[in-house]
Amino acid sequence: TLAPVETVTRPATLATAVQSAADKDVDGVTWRCEADKCVGTAERRDSLDSYMKECRKVAAALGKLTRFYSRGREMSERDLNNCNRAAQ
């Protein structure tokens, strides 16, 4: 039998709220944003991207982030600032 697929969620907070709820696919993760809150949902999978590169991809697609959580940890303010700068 096949093992059940585990779904992983990743919360993020936008610096600027979206006008209306929207979904966006970023590198195989579906991000759902409402106001300034976003949640990325995907089947558990290993990524070769670093934690910072993953953040940059999300910030480039969704906009400046004030919070990013992935791989069981929350990004520090310093790393988040670097992520946002690199995403521009």
Side-chain angles (χ1 to χ4, degrees), residues 46-61:
D46 293 328
S47 172
L48 297 178
D49 287 344
S50 70
Y51 185 56
M52 180 61 74
K53 188 172 184 180
E54 185 179 345
C55 180
R56 283 195 318 255
K57 286 180 178 182
V58 173

Side-chain angles (χ1 to χ4, degrees), residues 1-19:
T1 63
L2 294 175
V5 175
E6 183 179 349
T7 300
V8 177
T9 59
R10 301 170 171 106
T13 304
L14 299 172
T16 304
V18 294
Q19 295 289 329

Side-chain angles (χ1 to χ4, degrees), residues 19-30:
Q19 295 289 329
S20 59
D23 291 344
K24 187 167 240 178
D25 182 78
V26 180
D27 199 30
V29 178
T30 301

